[in-house]
Amino acid sequence: APELVEVRAWDGSVPSAEDEVVDRMAFADLVAAHRKAVGDRGHRAIVRTAVDGLSLAEVAAEENVCSHTIAQRRFDARARFRKVALAQ
């Protein structure tokens, strides 16, 4: 499980429980928008390699495909996301 850390504001204060909920909801909305823009497989390729820190080979083994397939999914997903982000 990921390690939980206390996040403090720039002034050293700890956010309220309400602020924490709003931040988590905003983050969840952002993740959902990203997944919608790039598709489930592309989103998973980006998250597993960039966020979770797994290698292309590890993700490929989990999904029973070659590393090149994961690399291509990640590349295509990033390109689709850039296109959507620039269009807005």
Side-chain angles (χ1 to χ4, degrees), residues 12-28:
S13 64
V14 177
S16 69
E18 292 83 7
D19 288 339
E20 184 74 23
V21 169
V22 170
D23 288 346
R24 287 177 188 237
M25 289 172 60
F27 183 72

Side-chain angles (χ1 to χ4, degrees), residues 24-40 43 47 51 81:
R24 287 177 188 237
M25 289 172 60
F27 183 72
D29 289 346
L30 178 64
V31 170
H34 182 266
R35 178 176 276 136
K36 183 178 178 182
V38 302
D40 285 335
H43 175 77
V47 170
V51 178
F81 189 69

